[in-house]
Amino acid sequence: MYSRVLSASLYGLSGEETWVEVDVESGLPVFNIVGLANQSIKEAKERIHAAVMNCGFDFESHRITVNLTPANKKKDGSHFDLPIAIALLMSTGQLEPHKGEKKGPVTAYLGELTLDGRLSSIEGALPMIIGMQKRGVNRVVIPAGNLPEAQLVKGMEIIAASTLTQVTEHISGMDIIDPLIADGKTSSAESTAADFSDIRGQELVKRAAQVAAAGMHGLLMIGPPGVGKSMIGKRIPGIMTPLSYEEQLDVTQIYSAAGALAEDKPMICERPFRSPHHSMSAASLIGGGSRPMPGEISLAHCGVLFLDELPEFDSHTLDMLRQPMEDGQVSIVRVNGKCVYPARFMLVAAMNPCRCGYFGDSKRRCTCSESDRKRYVGKVSGPLLDRFDIHVSMERIEFEDISSGEAGGRKSADIRQEVIRAAEVQRLRYEGRGISSNSQLTPDLMKEFCSLDDEGQQLLKDAFIKWKLSARSYHRILKVARTIADLDGSSNIQRVHLLEALSYRQPDAYFKG
């Protein structure tokens, strides 16, 4: 006897329809799963056998063939357990859908089975449910543990169950589970980042961090050890704008696909902050593996990727950041297909000026030779440096600033309000143009929104010639100036805005040949 039920496969963040077909015939007992299934799916045979038996159903000796279609695409994941079990019970005549279920909309099934028939939470539930909805499927059966993230998909009928028995009783009409209609509402979480007022001094760098947050610009901080580079980097998420509904959905999809959603935090409501160790591999940073998974740059989507001790990272690994920073996404290509993950993040990095850390320090003498210093800073390639919109040097903090009992300066909440106002100006300005921040401006849009008067043109020309800037640096100076003008409430880029932007791109002595 033949039956089939609908499920889904996950390719990157794209949920695709996958039909689970089961045919049961008389013959020698065998249980075959075909359709390019990976090892975790093939092991489902043992899980399903035990779950079906422990839920009170028979598992008679038959010739069982399971096909996952389309059969020309690789399938991965333990979420096929439930649809295979349901189709198997239908094929053996042990499960008969009630009339309402037969006439109702097509239902998709997702869930991993334990040996006693319980439904375990699965990875990637959110992107698969979104993919189903895009293809006209508006009802899905999922494990109860995935309900919080599934509620993000507005308009979807969600049937959450804890056991295989509950699902079969719902299908047969014995005990129908009322579907929950997802409203798509998300939480608005307060930022958990530490406050900028904790930092004494460094007002110039705090201002640079505000400009970077307002326009989603890359920020590079250079200075001796202990001046507060890491403290500032960790506090930047606290001054960024709150995540919109669409951004929360995008970020939560990535964490769902990576299996990184915590049980007590099923939705990502604040901007991510990722700070990987410099010993990480290229695959961990960019994404990949035999089963392609999102890397740190995708987990930092819509948030901050903070690289502390930048020159300590592998040079080849760092240079792999260049294309994702330009494209806002990363493509992981394998023989059997391509996975695309979003990766539009704010890159913040910190580094010492040399190996010992005290080159240019007014208080301590540098012990590095000139060749050692050049070798150290040379680990960061020029093309990658060009992709930091803002370069800022940090000086040693004086004793009076540290020992003062006065507050360290403006609070993150006050800085954030100014950032939100500037971000709203950008959102309205670029509405319908496919971008949302100044850092995403294309050369064509810059002609429209970053025009300069004659005085500004001459100022920028002089800097371009004197500092031997690249075309990319020229464009990034204009983008930063546009953000400074937005923070100032100005519709035009004025000389003072351009001067501040240029101060963030001065050819630092640390990188001179």
Side-chain angles (χ1 to χ4, degrees):
M1 187 175 175
Y2 168 85
S3 65
R4 73 171 189 166
V5 298
L6 181 62
S7 188
S9 295
L10 188 61
Y11 302 98
L13 292 185
S14 177
E16 305 287 344
E17 281 188 1
T18 300
W19 286 94
V20 177
E21 301 178 310
V22 175
D23 183 64
V24 178
E25 299 176 347
S26 58
L28 293 175
V30 64
F31 195 155
N32 288 324
I33 299 179
V34 297
L36 288 182
N38 77 335
Q39 189 62 31
S40 65
I41 300 175
K42 291 179 179 178
E43 290 176 351
K45 294 184 287 188
E46 306 304 325
R47 293 193 297 270
I48 292 169
H49 181 276
V52 167
M53 294 291 290
N54 288 323
C55 287
F57 295 99
D58 293 329
F59 199 98
E60 300 177 2
S61 297
H62 292 290
R63 182 179 179 83
I64 302 171
T65 303
V66 178
N67 180 41
L68 307 179
T69 181
N72 63 337
K73 288 188 176 182
K74 287 192 71 173
K75 320 296 188 309
D76 187 21
S78 58
H79 62 276
F80 288 106
D81 290 6
L82 179 61
I84 292 174
I86 295 300
L88 176 62
L89 292 175
M90 289 180 179
S91 293
T92 57
Q94 298 180 76
L95 180 61
E96 178 67 26
H98 66 89
K99 293 181 179 179
E101 183 71 17
K102 288 181 178 179
K103 295 181 180 179
V106 176
T107 303
Y109 295 85
L110 305 169
E112 177 186 329
L113 289 172
T114 62
L115 298 184
D116 61 353
R118 287 177 291 114
L119 286 176
S120 298
S121 300
I122 59 172
E123 297 178 1
L126 181 59
M128 284 190 284
I129 293 171
I130 291 175
M132 291 294 95
Q133 188 180 57
K134 289 179 179 178
R135 288 159 180 77
V137 180
N138 293 312
R139 179 184 289 178
V140 62
V141 176
I142 60 170
N146 292 114
L147 178 59
E149 60 180 294
Q151 288 179 295
L152 286 171
V153 189
K154 188 175 182 180
M156 198 72 173
E157 290 187 29
I158 303 167
I159 299 170
S162 300
T163 65
L164 175 61
T165 301
Q166 286 185 337
V167 178
T168 57
E169 289 179 348
H170 169 80
I171 294 173
S172 64
M174 292 176 58
D175 188 5
I176 295 176
I177 303 172
D178 293 329
L180 173 68
I181 308 299
D183 56 14
K185 290 183 179 179
T186 60
S187 304
S188 55
E190 291 293 327
S191 175
T192 57
D195 203 279
F196 262 90
S197 62
D198 298 335
I199 302 174
R200 311 285 180 174
Q202 304 294 6
E203 297 305 319
L204 174 63
V205 188
K206 293 178 186 176
R207 167 64 177 178
Q210 181 187 26
V211 174
M216 292 295 287
H217 301 290
L219 171 65
L220 175 62
M221 297 175 285
I222 312 167
V227 295
K229 302 187 294 293
S230 299
M231 289 182 69
I232 289 176
K234 293 175 181 178
R235 283 159 174 76
I236 289 177
I239 63 172
M240 298 174 72
T241 59
L243 286 173
S244 65
Y245 167 73
E246 291 77 13
E247 288 174 331
Q248 287 190 27
L249 203 59
D250 288 345
V251 176
T252 305
Q253 281 190 78
I254 297 170
Y255 277 70
S256 176
L261 286 177
E263 290 186 7
D264 59 341
K265 194 177 180 181
M267 295 177 288
I268 307 298
C269 302
E270 59 180 315
R271 293 195 179 272
F273 178 82
R274 307 292 298 188
S275 182
H277 191 263
H278 56 75
S279 62
M280 73 182 313
S281 66
S284 298
L285 181 64
I286 303 300
S290 56
R291 176 192 174 192
M293 297 289 284
E296 289 291 334
I297 62 172
S298 295
L299 294 172
H301 180 63
C302 294
V304 173
L305 177 66
F306 181 55
L307 302 182
D308 206 358
E309 305 295 345
L310 185 65
E312 300 297 334
F313 285 81
D314 179 73
S315 299
H316 173 68
T317 300
L318 286 179
D319 282 338
M320 293 182 72
L321 287 170
R322 288 155 53 182
Q323 184 177 353
M325 288 178 67
E326 295 294 329
D327 298 341
Q329 63 181 27
V330 59
S331 299
I332 303 171
V333 182
R334 294 291 182 267
V335 174
N336 294 295
K338 180 175 75 172
C339 294
V340 178
Y341 291 109
R344 192 166 296 285
F345 54 91
M346 177 179 169
L347 180 62
V348 179
M351 62 177 287
N352 295 332
C354 62
R355 173 69 66 182
C356 75
Y358 297 105
F359 177 74
D361 194 326
S362 59
K363 303 294 184 181
R364 294 189 60 171
R365 186 175 66 88
C366 174
T367 60
C368 301
S369 67
E370 184 68 12
S371 60
D372 288 341
R373 185 188 65 79
K374 289 180 179 179
R375 190 180 305 112
Y376 181 75
V377 298
K379 291 182 179 180
V380 185
S381 66
L384 180 61
L385 283 173
D386 247 1
R387 284 169 170 79
F388 286 99
D389 296 354
I390 298 175
H391 300 175
V392 61
S393 299
M394 298 181 67
E395 304 296 334
R396 180 182 295 277
I397 304 173
E398 298 299 329
F399 175 78
E400 289 75 12
D401 293 328
I402 302 173
S403 61
S404 172
E406 298 178 2
R410 301 176 66 196
K411 293 183 177 180
S412 291
D414 298 330
I415 301 174
R416 189 185 201 191
Q417 288 305 313
E418 296 178 4
V419 169
I420 290 174
R421 285 195 292 270
E424 181 63 15
V425 169
Q426 295 170 58
R427 187 189 67 81
L428 294 175
R429 179 193 298 138
Y430 305 132
E431 194 168 15
R433 297 177 183 269
I435 65 173
S436 58
S437 65
N438 290 328
S439 65
Q440 299 172 259
L441 278 168
T442 62
D444 287 341
L445 291 176
M446 290 176 68
K447 293 177 183 177
E448 181 178 353
F449 299 113
C450 299
S451 59
L452 302 175
D453 56 21
D454 292 340
E455 184 182 14
Q457 285 281 14
Q458 187 60 47
L459 176 63
L460 195 53
K461 179 181 178 181
D462 292 342
F464 187 87
I465 296 173
K466 181 179 180 180
W467 293 346
K468 299 178 181 178
L469 298 175
S470 66
R472 182 182 290 113
S473 297
Y474 168 83
H475 287 141
R476 291 185 184 277
I477 289 170
L478 281 178
K479 293 177 185 179
V480 173
R482 179 66 269 172
T483 299
I484 296 169
D486 291 338
L487 283 168
D488 199 30
S490 174
S491 57
N492 298 317
I493 298 176
Q494 301 173 8
R495 176 183 173 84
V496 64
H497 306 140
L498 198 55
L499 284 171
E500 183 177 351
L502 285 168
S503 72
Y504 298 138
R505 293 293 300 194
Q506 291 186 40
D508 203 297
Y510 304 134
F511 297 103
K512 284 185 176 179

